[in-house]
Amino acid sequence: MTTTEDDHIAAVRDRLGTAFPGVPGQVIDDAIAVERARFENKKIRDFVPLLVERRARESLQNNRVRISEDVILDPVSAQ
C-alpha cells in the first residue's frame, strides 16, 4: 500500500492536534491549508508534508496563523 501526500497531511493534522489541544481544529486545518498552498505548483512533492508541518507548527507556536496575505489569526482568541 502506498502512502499518499494526503495521508501524510492527515498524520500532520493528527500530530498538530495532539500538540495544540487548546487550538480549535479549524484553526489547525487553516494553518495546514495555508502552508500547503505555498507548495501547490511545485513539481517535487516528497517533502511537502514535512515542510507544511514545520511551518504550521511554527505559526501555531507563535499564536499566529496566516489565513491570507492580509489576515493573521490569533488562535487563542479564536476559541
Side-chain angles (χ1 to χ4, degrees):
M1 183 168 144
T2 303
T3 305
T4 67
E5 182 177 311
D6 289 335
D7 294 333
H8 287 293
I9 293 295
V12 166
R13 169 63 176 87
D14 291 343
R15 286 192 295 272
L16 291 177
T18 299
F20 299 95
V23 176
Q26 186 59 53
V27 173
I28 293 171
D29 291 342
D30 290 346
I32 290 169
V34 166
E35 297 306 332
R36 194 174 187 187
R38 293 174 177 270
F39 303 100
E40 186 174 309
N41 295 317
K42 306 301 180 194
K43 292 180 183 180
I44 299 175
R45 309 293 305 172
D46 294 343
F47 298 102
V48 169
L50 174 67
L51 297 170
V52 166
E53 183 169 5
R54 285 184 181 173
R55 293 182 66 108
R57 181 178 298 274
E58 183 178 293
S59 293
L60 294 166
Q61 285 172 334
N62 293 326
N63 289 332
R64 297 172 70 91
V65 177
R66 184 172 294 280
I67 301 302
S68 70
E69 287 300 315
D70 300 325
V71 179
I72 297 176
L73 176 67
D74 177 354
V76 175
S77 66
Q79 296 182 11

